[in-house]
Amino acid sequence: MLRDGFGIPGFITRHQLLVHPDIPYTSHNSAMCFPADIDGTRIHALATFCSGLLGRECADGSDPGLCIAAVDRITNGEELIGFGRRAKSEILTKEEALFLASRLGVHLSEHGGTGDGVIGALAGVGLRLWGNDGRMRGALKGPQPGEFWRVRDLLEQADVEAVRSVAGDAIDENECVLIGEKPKTVMREGISVLLLSARRIGAAKAQWETLPKKLLREY
């Protein structure tokens, strides 16, 4: 994105929204979101670029939506966060999403299908703004499954800003961690956190391990 003058993005989060028979979706009804340092005068150009990208790359039969929010221009951040949190447990409408985006000064546009994708797009931005929802898209680049890492070394990874237990407690930097399949961070308190679960009592070498896929789904 830097070559187009749109700034440097941060890591991408995937936000799981409500799965319900009355909500059509292509795969998992989730939204992807990332922050970027963008010149305010380039937002229209960014929207044009992203619209073209969605038109070329979206899956057949999908209902893609695009939301771009300049954080310092949102007129009511708490209301946007509330919409995102509601989308995890309620069936919302496209009309509600478009009306809210217009009122809050947020770019929101539909790019095919029924246009209902704007609901998830707006919800994803609200959840990312909240900072307590979502997991990293893709796995950590350094640690590999089956390896043992010290917490202090994990904290040196570009995608890891904190290492905590599932209860939210900090873990001593000297503790050893068993890396499981596809280790990912989750967003907590606005930062990228690697959550660990305690291994069984008496486990050799490492007392902690990264969360398995089935537990990561909760985030």
Side-chain angles (χ1 to χ4, degrees), residues 29-75:
N29 193 33
S30 61
M32 299 286 189
C33 189
F34 67 88
D37 184 10
I38 300 169
D39 185 327
T41 64
R42 299 285 289 162
I43 291 179
H44 178 72
L46 175 63
T48 300
F49 174 86
C50 292
S51 298
L53 183 66
L54 285 172
R56 295 190 301 272
E57 302 294 337
C58 67
D60 292 338
S62 63
D63 305 317
L66 172 67
C67 183
I68 303 174
V71 176
D72 59 349
R73 299 181 187 179
I74 299 171
T75 58

Side-chain angles (χ1 to χ4, degrees), residues 3 9 16 31 154 190:
R3 68 179 183 276
Q16 181 61 56
L154 289 169

Side-chain angles (χ1 to χ4, degrees), residues 98-178:
L98 291 170
F99 177 73
L100 180 62
S102 176
R103 192 156 53 79
L104 298 184
V106 172
H107 171 93
L108 186 63
S109 52
E110 53 188 87
H111 296 279
T114 64
D116 284 345
V118 296
I119 301 169
L122 186 65
V125 169
L127 290 167
R128 181 72 187 234
L129 184 64
W130 180 36
N132 287 292
D133 184 84
R135 61 181 183 267
M136 176 194 291
R137 180 181 180 275
L140 294 176
K141 296 180 176 61
Q144 298 300 309
E147 293 181 344
F148 293 92
W149 283 58
R150 295 290 178 187
V151 170
R152 61 173 176 269
D153 297 319
L154 289 169
L155 287 168
E156 293 180 357
Q157 299 300 297
D159 296 325
V160 180
E161 295 178 278
V163 177
R164 299 176 186 166
S165 71
V166 289
D169 299 321
I171 297 175
D172 189 280
E173 293 189 0
N174 292 313
E175 289 283 355
C176 187
V177 179
L178 172 62

Side-chain angles (χ1 to χ4, degrees), residues 72-90:
D72 59 349
R73 299 181 187 179
I74 299 171
T75 58
N76 190 328
E78 289 302 317
E79 195 168 3
L80 179 55
I81 290 170
F83 182 88
R85 297 184 69 177
R86 287 174 56 208
K88 295 181 71 67
S89 60
E90 299 179 28

